[in-house]
Amino acid sequence: MSRTNAARPEAPREISIMGKGGRMPGLRAFLLCLHAMVVKEFLQLLRDRVTLALIVMIPLMELVLFGYAINMNPRHLPLAVLSADNSPAGRAFVQALANTRYFDIRRLVRSEEEAETLIRSGKAQFILQIPPGFTRDVYRGLRPKLLLLADATDPVATGSAVSAVSQLAIRTLGHELAGPGRHLLAGEPPFQVVVHQRYNPAQETAINVVPGIVGIILTMTLLIFTAMAVTREVERGTMEYLLATPLTPVEIMLGKIAPYIIVGFVQMVIVLTAGHVLFGVPVVGSLALLVALTMLFIVTNLALGYTISTLARTQLQAMQMAFFIMLPSILMSGFVFPFAGMPGWARFLGEFLPLTHYLRIIRGILLKGASWADVRAEALALAVIMLTVMIVAVHRFRRTLD
Amino acid sequence: MNDIPAEGAACPAPCAKPVLDVRRLRKSFGARKAVRGVDIAVCPGEIFGFLGPNGSGKTTTMRMLCGLLTPDGGEGHALGHDIIRESRHIRLHVGYMTQHFSLYADLTVRENLLFAARVHGLPRPARKVEQTIHELGLGAYADELAGHLSGGWKQRLALAASTLHDPHLLLLDEPTSGVDPAARRRFWDDIHALARRGMTVLVSTHYMDEAERCHRLAWFYEGRILACGGVDDIITGSGLVALEAAGEPETLTVLQRTVQAALPAAQCTWMGEKLHISVPKELRDRAECLCREYGAECATTRPRMEDVFIHLVRIQDHAAEKAEAAS
């Protein structure tokens, strides 16, 4: 008889957690169950290294960007001087401008065309025009006019700089006019500064923001769509099926990207139409050029998303990696905060973001009527980013199953 | 049979021109050796089974055969092409059905099939799809989302998708896991119909009973092939015989312990109320003696596939231990 007992498993002893009714009553049971669940969640979280790394990196990145890179009161805005009068008073004023630290004197230009090109392509945000015979007219008490041409597409960027300039005229020439011209310092300022706000004279923020929105929306949706595209197939097990078909990696990639190109254009049309109708955003330049370069931008984003998708193992990771690119895109591209106002390292990093270049392109074309020649450099930068990313994507994809 | 070479059992094809012939196939993932030297040759129209537990190298081998993974070593031909250098050519004529349902759950049956047809570059894909839907009796489900189908129908759909282009070689990775018995039987009938049409089928499974439905099979264990051949060949080749002991449960319990203690090479397991004993041929008399001694009724029966498998695994593990001790 004893042998039979040995063959069967022993009846389980009463487990201590269980009460007589089968479950411990009250708070203690609740806490024990909660504890079990919390421990399990933590274990799963700790196991996902990528998520864990991003949990640490994203707040740090945000802190650094907001703390060091972003400047709501931007300084060192690029200014070009078109001087027809290389004389002491003109030079003194230019020096005074530099001393405000609102402006960086980037270059001296010789012709109006050159100045025009600089401001249209965004290489200069301000042009200072010193008229011929400026010093002479100051001494004669004619109160000559200096023309400050401001690219007002981004009112936030130019606003405080412009107001700083208006104050300058009163104080600048104190040193030069000491002596014989002393009487000029009394009363009215010795010369006038005329500020000419170009492109967005009413300083409507919407004019600047709407083109930016196009860039942001395209970045957000396309990056996330494609970032998920491959990971979803891997997670659902359909990637194995795809790879066993005669499809090549390039075919799979292009096939996945193509539908979203249309999605991108639909979004652009929606935002621009609404922007035009509701906020009166102008279309100064060539729409065909904009469409062509938007195509380039869309494909760049899709390739970037696709690369993320080959790096991430799960859809969750893909989402976070996409966020890791989107955050700096929003903050460092010049979308909300003026690009020129960021410190050098931040501007350098910003140049690697596709959105930075696209914003210059779309704002240039829509608001300033920029031509191909004006945006060629930006388009080239986008193309380089796109090619690099695509090569990485195709290269990474081939190795997914091995 | 008792000495399994380090590379595993040889698996010669019973025909002059095998469709698939690979030798010394190897693949590691990091430190883990998933496949450690596999030789397989399969004849046209044969249904060849890959049997073995999870992680024994069945899936990895299959993936190497259809070009999803690059082998670390080995050589061979499939459908007249080199498996390493010409995997793209092979893929055109291979149908592969993955372990988990891998069609698009958010597309309908028809849309899934159309996709498969187009990807394989079939002329007039729509017509082919309708024909397939009709043949498989999927008509009522053609516009259902694939994700809403039952397990059995999903398998039929996946099979349809992977055979749409009339592949010469069909690879099925555990196609029947999680499918009810009736659907499983129908699935196997489909596979046999395909094989009769000349399609060569490789199918992996861990169901022992499914092995009997294959013409030949290879038994995978830890990245090697332990045994290869038809089910009867394997059972005969293992040199095992089996007895069935009936009697009082107490008697049989004692008998089980005694047999296990006295004959380490024997396997003794409960089958309902009876005790199933399998031993190498030469130990048969001693086992019968023990049975009679304890007053149990003893009848000869057929060794089960399971018996053979455990027997071979023991030999393999023993050999591995010995090799380790020697080095």
Side-chain angles (χ1 to χ4, degrees), chain B residues 304-326:
Chain B
R304 301 170 57 83
M305 288 293 272
E306 210 176 273
D307 300 336
V308 178
F309 177 67
I310 293 172
H311 176 68
L312 293 175
V313 165
R314 279 185 187 172
I315 295 174
Q316 166 83 14
D317 288 350
H318 188 65
E321 266 169 44
K322 235 177 11 187
E324 208 168 291

Side-chain angles (χ1 to χ4, degrees), chain B:
Chain B
M1 197 71 212
N2 279 9
D3 277 323
I4 294 164
E7 304 80 38
C11 209
C15 59
K17 279 192 177 168
V19 174
L20 175 78
D21 190 0
V22 295
R23 284 172 301 278
R24 298 186 297 282
L25 225 47
R26 280 189 295 106
K27 179 78 191 173
S28 299
F29 299 104
R32 196 170 69 81
K33 292 179 178 164
V35 173
R36 332 170 165 216
V38 159
D39 291 24
I40 295 169
V42 184
C43 296
E46 205 175 10
I47 300 179
F48 191 93
F50 282 15
L51 194 60
N54 290 333
S56 57
K58 304 186 302 268
T59 301
T60 307
T61 306
M62 232 175 226
R63 286 178 173 171
M64 286 193 280
L65 294 179
C66 62
L68 273 182
L69 290 173
T70 323
D72 293 342
E75 53 174 17
H77 291 268
L79 308 171
H81 295 286
D82 187 283
I83 59 156
I84 291 165
R85 287 191 305 274
E86 300 172 312
S87 71
R88 216 177 126 63
H89 296 279
I90 298 174
R91 234 184 277 182
L92 288 175
H93 302 288
V94 166
Y96 177 50
M97 188 172 145
T98 54
Q99 196 163 348
H100 306 286
F101 178 68
S102 66
L103 295 174
Y104 295 94
D106 45 1
L107 295 185
T108 66
V109 168
R110 182 177 280 122
E111 288 161 347
N112 265 301
L113 289 173
L114 262 176
F115 175 68
R118 288 183 182 134
V119 157
H120 285 99
L122 297 188
R124 318 187 63 165
R127 199 168 157 193
K128 177 73 187 169
V129 165
E130 294 313 317
Q131 189 191 333
T132 310
I133 288 175
H134 180 72
E135 274 172 18
L136 285 170
L138 279 164
Y141 301 102
D143 293 313
E144 287 269 334
L145 291 185
H148 292 170
L149 297 180
S150 71
W153 280 109
K154 274 185 190 168
Q155 294 311 83
R156 296 203 90 191
L157 172 60
L159 182 66
S162 50
T163 54
L164 212 52
H165 57 297
D166 286 317
H168 301 163
L169 178 64
L170 180 60
L171 304 174
L172 307 170
D173 193 2
E174 302 201 356
T176 54
S177 54
V179 173
D180 70 77
R184 232 166 91 181
R185 173 170 291 181
R186 202 153 60 145
F187 192 83
W188 273 97
D189 287 343
D190 288 345
I191 295 176
H192 273 271
L194 291 170
R196 277 198 303 278
R197 268 168 37 194
M199 205 178 280
T200 307
V201 183
L202 256 64
V203 55
S204 80
T205 175
H206 52 243
Y207 294 118
M208 299 277 173
D209 61 307
E210 288 198 335
E212 311 205 344
R213 297 178 184 268
C214 301
H215 297 131
R216 281 194 308 139
L217 56 97
W219 222 331
F220 280 74
Y221 179 67
E222 295 194 337
R224 294 194 181 95
I225 292 179
L226 281 190
C228 185
V231 170
D232 291 331
D233 301 337
I234 289 181
I235 292 179
T236 320
S238 71
L240 288 183
V241 289
L243 303 170
E244 206 169 50
E248 290 295 308
E250 289 84 2
T251 316
L252 294 183
T253 308
V254 183
L255 178 62
Q256 183 185 23
R257 284 209 218 132
T258 316
V259 171
Q260 278 167 348
L263 308 171
Q267 296 170 51
C268 218
T269 182
W270 287 94
M271 300 293 290
E273 293 182 338
K274 293 178 179 169
L275 202 58
H276 180 88
I277 304 169
S278 62
V279 288
K281 262 192 285 239
E282 59 275 18
L283 296 178
R284 180 198 182 116
D285 292 345
R286 290 188 60 191
E288 271 179 337
C289 251
L290 284 172
C291 272
R292 278 195 298 273
E293 209 172 289
Y294 281 82
E297 283 170 46
C298 203
T300 308
T301 181
R302 188 176 184 239
R304 301 170 57 83
M305 288 293 272
E306 210 176 273
D307 300 336
V308 178
F309 177 67
I310 293 172
H311 176 68
L312 293 175
V313 165
R314 279 185 187 172
I315 295 174
Q316 166 83 14
D317 288 350
H318 188 65
E321 266 169 44
K322 235 177 11 187
E324 208 168 291
S327 70

Side-chain angles (χ1 to χ4, degrees), chain A residues 77-82 93 97 103 109 111-120 124-130 146-153 158 161-162 165 193-199:
Chain A
L77 302 173
L79 173 126
V81 178
L82 174 62
F93 185 68
L97 278 181
F103 303 95
V109 290
S111 67
E112 290 212 23
E113 291 78 50
E114 205 182 340
E116 199 63 28
T117 309
L118 280 178
I119 202 158
R120 219 174 35 229
Q125 258 176 316
F126 294 93
I127 306 284
L128 179 69
Q129 276 190 33
I130 302 176
L146 279 176
L147 181 64
L148 185 70
L149 210 63
D151 171 358
T153 49
T158 42
V162 165
V165 169
V193 179
V194 177
V195 177
H196 194 153
Q197 307 264 13
R198 284 288 286 272
Y199 308 123

